[in-house]
Amino acid sequence: MFYLETLGYGYSKKLCKSVVNWFVSEYLSRYKLDITVLHRGLKREGAYGYCDVSGSTYKPREFLIELDTNMEKSLYIQTLLHELYHLLQWVKGELKLKSSKRYFRGECVEELEYREQPHEIFARFNERILYSKYLKFTNESNSI
């Protein structure tokens, strides 16, 4: 069971909720989660999305996902799935915050370039797999 709130302008709440509901039911159904998805302009930051813990970092269950408002539909879905994969990493304890530094599977990733951080590599790889699974689930592969 989880709580989802979508804020700001972006793709329809229906699409956002569909992707999040599918992901949570497939991979995180046994956890009680509070997920907020905020749509806002991220162009200046050079990003499509972020996933942050918004509550306690010890066994986190409250999250804020921020998504850029100006993406085409397939990029939007893939980006949301990428950020949800980070949420999964947090919930499963693979991503942790210790002394204000981010760790992935016990390794500090703060000094690594963004593209070289192992949790990002895993998320980029898995976003494509998740995207294909989501399209099969919704039978949308022909409409995207």
Side-chain angles (χ1 to χ4, degrees):
M1 181 159 98
F2 73 98
Y3 172 75
L4 169 66
E5 180 179 4
T6 62
L7 305 168
Y9 300 96
Y11 272 92
S12 74
K13 285 185 179 185
K14 184 179 177 182
L15 177 61
C16 181
K17 286 181 178 184
S18 171
V19 174
V20 175
N21 284 332
W22 172 79
F23 185 87
V24 170
S25 68
E26 286 290 311
Y27 300 99
L28 295 164
S29 61
R30 64 185 215 120
Y31 298 95
K32 185 176 180 181
L33 302 171
D34 183 340
I35 303 168
T36 300
V37 179
L38 173 64
H39 298 91
R40 67 181 186 90
L42 295 175
K43 189 174 184 177
R44 288 184 188 162
E45 297 171 47
Y48 292 120
Y50 298 107
C51 175
D52 293 308
V53 175
S54 58
S56 170
T57 57
Y58 176 74
K59 293 189 177 185
R61 298 297 183 259
E62 295 177 29
F63 299 91
L64 171 64
I65 294 176
E66 297 179 77
L67 296 173
D68 186 60
T69 56
N70 298 309
M71 290 184 272
E72 52 96 13
K73 189 175 181 180
S74 63
L75 180 59
Y76 174 84
I77 295 169
Q78 289 177 67
T79 302
L80 180 51
L81 289 167
H82 178 103
E83 300 311 328
L84 286 165
Y85 193 80
H86 286 316
L87 188 149
L88 175 73
Q89 292 170 327
W90 281 107
V91 170
K92 298 289 185 175
E94 293 180 336
L95 262 178
K96 292 185 178 186
L97 199 62
K98 297 178 189 173
S99 303
S100 300
K101 292 187 178 186
R102 186 168 296 164
Y103 286 79
F104 179 71
R105 296 182 177 172
E107 175 189 352
C108 182
V109 297
E110 295 291 317
E111 303 300 320
L112 298 172
E113 292 292 323
Y114 168 79
R115 304 230 15 109
E116 295 174 10
Q117 294 175 353
H119 66 288
E120 291 295 343
I121 293 168
F122 278 96
R124 279 193 303 275
F125 176 79
N126 282 290
E127 77 185 42
R128 294 181 207 120
I129 295 168
L130 293 167
Y131 181 66
S132 294
K133 287 181 177 182
Y134 176 75
L135 292 182
K136 285 180 186 173
F137 169 77
T138 60
N139 295 315
E140 283 196 38
S141 56
N142 294 329
S143 64
I144 295 181

